[in-house]
Amino acid sequence: MPTDTKRVRGPEASQSPLLFWSRPAKALPSHGPRADGRQRDQVDVRPVFVRCGLVSQAKGSAYIEAGNTKVLCCVYGPRETERRDETDMKSGRLTTDMRFAPFSCPERGSWIQGSQDKDFSLMLQESLQPAVCLHKYPRSQIEVNVMVLENSGSILAHAVTCASMALADAGIEMYDLVLGCSLRQDGGSFVVDPTYPEENSCRSGSGEKQGRLTVAFLPSLNQVSGLQSDGEMAEETLTAGIRTCIEGCYKVYPVIQQALIKAVRRAAPPPAES
């Protein structure tokens, strides 16, 4: 029997496409302990691992890992602005670029920057810009590149923290560090630093206490530099959520400080022998 040489033959052994079909998110219980053992209605953040100076080609870099959420950030500059019409003689320019690796989410993405990546990049820039002393770098630009290696929830908050550490590692003058924390409000209860299933879980019913909140906070200055909220939350619920996120930022603050101190000690030259 003649064979078609132009037809690509499939593998001899195959699996049903239903095995790779993504099931819709199930509604998680709204009471009792969470799936990872943390408590609800408490400022209970995931353990955080941070490290600075991992990328030698960048001026500054940082890596943060919170649960299964993994983010890497690199900072380049200050360098001369590429476009003359965008040059500011009195102040510098901060550019941010946040992208998701194709394997970072349960649904495989693309290397091309989509609308979600652009929105996150804009939110990241708005959160970092108030903390950077841009007037110290006239006619120059500072580039912040964030790569999400794995998204397991609260990705914007951890990206803000990672980018702030990378700026400090690069020696960029800043008024203060920027720390991020997220919260998921579900009716009368809330969860701090939600995971990916908790962020995308389906809830029955609707009301004024359903939404997500991300806060970028300057701990030394006690100021909020960025706020992102979606859903329906009353004013009292939103105010209480912001205070809870600020408490979560203060919990992460000592870990970030120790990581930066270790990075400075590693980069410092050895003491001269007498």
Side-chain angles (χ1 to χ4, degrees):
M1 181 177 178
T3 59
D4 188 355
T5 58
K6 296 182 180 180
R7 178 176 298 177
V8 180
R9 299 181 60 184
E12 296 180 358
S14 61
Q15 295 177 338
S16 173
L18 296 177
L19 295 176
F20 307 95
W21 175 64
S22 59
R23 296 176 175 83
K26 297 181 180 179
L28 299 178
S30 58
H31 58 278
R34 299 158 68 177
D36 53 4
R38 292 181 291 162
Q39 299 298 323
R40 297 177 179 274
D41 301 326
Q42 295 183 10
V43 187
D44 198 355
V45 298
R46 289 175 287 185
V48 177
F49 169 79
V50 290
R51 184 76 180 271
C52 296
L54 295 179
V55 182
S56 58
Q57 293 84 355
K59 182 70 177 297
S61 61
Y63 171 79
I64 187 169
E65 183 174 327
N68 291 328
T69 298
K70 302 176 180 65
V71 182
L72 178 66
C73 179
C74 298
V75 173
Y76 301 91
R79 61 179 62 170
E80 186 179 359
T81 306
E82 297 178 357
R83 298 181 57 179
R84 296 290 182 178
D85 55 345
E86 295 180 354
T87 302
D88 192 346
M89 303 298 292
K90 296 183 180 180
S91 178
R93 183 166 174 261
L94 180 68
T95 62
T96 57
D97 182 77
M98 183 172 174
R99 296 176 184 268
F100 288 78
F103 49 82
S104 62
C105 300
E107 296 181 0
R108 187 173 180 86
S110 172
W111 280 110
I112 303 175
Q113 191 178 33
S115 59
Q116 183 184 19
D117 299 349
K118 295 179 180 179
D119 292 341
F120 278 129
S121 299
L122 181 59
M123 297 174 193
L124 182 64
Q125 181 182 10
E126 293 177 351
S127 300
L128 295 175
Q129 193 161 352
V132 182
C133 301
L134 292 176
H135 64 279
K136 297 284 188 178
Y137 308 97
R139 296 182 296 177
S140 60
Q141 68 177 6
I142 301 171
E143 300 177 5
V144 179
N145 299 323
V146 176
M147 175 59 67
V148 179
L149 302 177
E150 186 172 355
N151 181 11
S152 183
S154 305
I155 193 62
L156 179 60
H158 294 300
V160 169
T161 305
C162 187
S164 174
M165 292 181 58
L167 287 169
D169 184 62
I172 304 298
E173 293 192 40
M174 304 172 64
Y175 297 106
D176 195 3
L177 291 173
V178 188
L179 306 179
C181 185
S182 295
L183 177 142
R184 168 66 189 266
Q185 186 74 35
D186 181 28
S189 64
F190 64 86
V191 291
V192 178
D193 192 14
T195 60
Y196 190 86
E198 290 173 342
E199 284 184 338
N200 298 275
S201 61
C202 300
R203 298 296 184 188
S204 59
S206 61
E208 294 184 351
K209 294 184 179 181
Q210 300 282 342
R212 293 180 295 182
L213 177 67
T214 301
V215 174
F217 184 67
L218 308 177
S220 297
L221 300 178
N222 194 25
Q223 294 181 1
V224 175
S225 63
L227 177 64
Q228 190 269 335
S229 174
D230 57 359
E232 297 183 4
M233 289 185 287
E235 182 179 354
E236 297 79 7
T237 305
L238 184 61
T239 303
I242 294 175
R243 293 175 179 173
T244 303
C245 289
I246 290 176
E247 293 181 17
C249 293
Y250 277 121
K251 280 199 168 185
V252 182
Y253 192 31
V255 181
I256 306 303
Q257 286 179 316
Q258 292 299 321
L260 291 174
I261 292 174
K262 291 180 180 179
V264 172
R265 289 176 178 174
R266 287 195 304 267
E273 297 181 359
S274 57

